[in-house]
Amino acid sequence: LTTVDYCRSKQGEGLRSFLHISQKMEDFAQLVAEVTEPAKHGDGAKVREVLRDAKRTHFLWQATQCQQEGIEKCIDTCLAEAGAEQVLKGWAVTSVNEWGVDQERILLLTDKKVYRIKFDFDSKTVQSTKAVALSDILRVEYGSFKAAKTSLTTWVWKKEIEQSQGFRIYTKERDGNKSINEMARQQLAPVLGEAPPVEEFVREYRALNAEDEPWREEVFAQELAAAFMAASILSSVSFDVRPAAMDKEVPGGVFSMFYNSLNLGKYSTKA
């Protein structure tokens, strides 16, 4: 292989990579247009149809039969007042708690709220629910993670962290409990003669079983981004939805990483 041939092969790889990225950007832009245009006219049913993606136009997330039954049960249980909210879509997701632990949850998005639901797929019952009004969302970020530089844990697992993508919802009120990192920062500030840091309240989500099929993560993150854009328009609530390189901390350290590696946060093998 001559130097010229090598350079040409690299140029070919670069061109293919560029075309692949350009195609993905075009696909995402098309999805955003297809959900936001009907949202501007208050057509939640059309938004729901696009997100269902029955013809696999955008290769969006599709529920298994078990997951779909769970989602429908959650809708019946959590949205007691029929017609009060328009359900746009439900997803089986990995929710990351304040310790960095992965938890299997169902996420429901309506034109008024987003619901995070702990669902038992064995007994087919809702175990707990957390609802956040869209008016309480400050912003939404999606994209790749960047290992936090201040953590030994994230340095050790840097490669795994930076190969994954996700979705974060920032809210006005705390969604969960304080992490050990937050408590440490608040306790350390007076000792250093500093004001306590202003903490942001955020909840993180990833595609369920993303460790088995990593390619799904980008599609999942972009799908949720488009869905939340549409929900913002339908609800007449303004919040930013933007791509970002998101710093990843794991407050539970090595214990959380081992917990996640053993899939202990999966509530049921059926999902």
Side-chain angles (χ1 to χ4, degrees):
L1 182 66
T2 66
T3 301
V4 172
D5 290 336
Y6 176 78
C7 291
R8 284 175 177 170
S9 69
K10 286 299 180 182
Q11 287 175 345
E13 289 176 10
L15 179 58
R16 285 192 294 272
S17 177
F18 172 76
L19 293 174
H20 178 62
I21 293 171
S22 298
Q23 183 62 52
K24 289 196 295 184
M25 291 176 65
E26 288 179 9
D27 292 344
F28 179 54
Q30 181 182 353
L31 173 62
V32 170
E34 289 185 16
V35 294
T36 55
E37 283 304 313
K40 292 174 184 176
H41 298 93
D43 191 350
K46 181 62 177 177
V47 173
R48 184 166 58 251
E49 179 187 333
V50 174
L51 291 174
R52 189 162 62 93
D53 198 24
K55 295 182 179 180
R56 308 296 286 137
T57 304
H58 300 288
F59 297 96
L60 303 184
W61 183 83
Q62 302 290 319
T64 63
Q65 182 177 345
C66 177
Q67 290 168 346
Q68 188 58 42
E69 290 173 356
I71 290 169
E72 290 172 1
K73 181 67 175 180
C74 289
I75 292 172
D76 292 341
T77 304
C78 302
L79 278 65
E81 190 176 345
E85 298 176 56
Q86 296 185 74
V87 178
L88 302 182
K89 190 167 180 175
W91 298 265
V93 302
T94 294
S95 171
V96 184
N97 73 4
E98 58 275 4
W99 292 92
V101 168
D102 294 344
Q103 299 175 316
E104 180 187 278
R105 295 292 185 265
I106 285 178
L107 195 70
L108 288 183
L109 178 63
T110 77
D111 61 339
K112 291 183 173 62
K113 297 178 182 179
V114 56
Y115 296 82
R116 183 177 67 254
I117 303 164
K118 182 177 181 180
F119 185 78
D120 185 338
F121 285 92
D122 296 318
S123 64
K124 294 181 171 54
T125 56
V126 171
Q127 303 294 300
S128 63
T129 304
K130 172 66 178 180
V132 175
L134 297 185
S135 56
D136 287 334
I137 295 178
L138 297 175
R139 73 180 186 276
V140 165
E141 293 182 349
Y142 64 96
S144 300
F145 293 110
K146 184 171 61 174
K149 297 179 180 179
T150 55
S151 168
L152 176 61
T153 302
T154 54
W155 180 79
V156 173
W157 274 274
K158 185 176 187 293
K159 181 179 179 180
E160 289 82 352
I161 289 172
E162 297 191 347
Q163 286 179 339
S164 62
Q165 297 193 36
F167 185 87
R168 286 179 175 173
I169 302 174
Y170 292 80
T171 52
K172 296 176 183 177
E173 303 293 333
R174 184 185 303 279
D175 184 3
N177 300 313
K178 288 184 178 181
S179 72
I180 190 170
N181 287 7
E182 182 181 346
M183 290 187 283
R185 285 191 291 264
Q186 291 178 343
Q187 292 174 3
L188 188 60
V191 176
L192 299 176
E194 301 174 351
V198 177
E199 301 287 348
E200 290 192 300
F201 305 132
V202 60
R203 196 75 181 194
E204 181 181 303
Y205 299 94
R206 293 179 59 207
L208 185 67
N209 298 327
E211 61 277 2
D212 299 328
E213 297 176 287
W215 65 270
R216 291 184 180 274
E217 291 204 292
E218 183 176 19
V219 178
F220 168 83
Q222 292 185 347
E223 176 182 349
L224 262 69
F228 272 77
M229 289 178 193
S232 171
I233 296 170
L234 283 169
S235 63
S236 300
V237 172
S238 178
F239 55 80
D240 193 19
V241 181
R242 66 193 189 201
M246 301 176 290
D247 283 340
K248 175 80 169 179
E249 291 184 338
V250 184
V254 66
F255 300 104
S256 293
M257 297 303 293
F258 278 122
Y259 184 95
N260 294 341
S261 69
L262 295 173
N263 286 324
L264 298 179
K266 280 187 66 66
Y267 202 69
S268 168
T269 55
K270 291 184 178 181

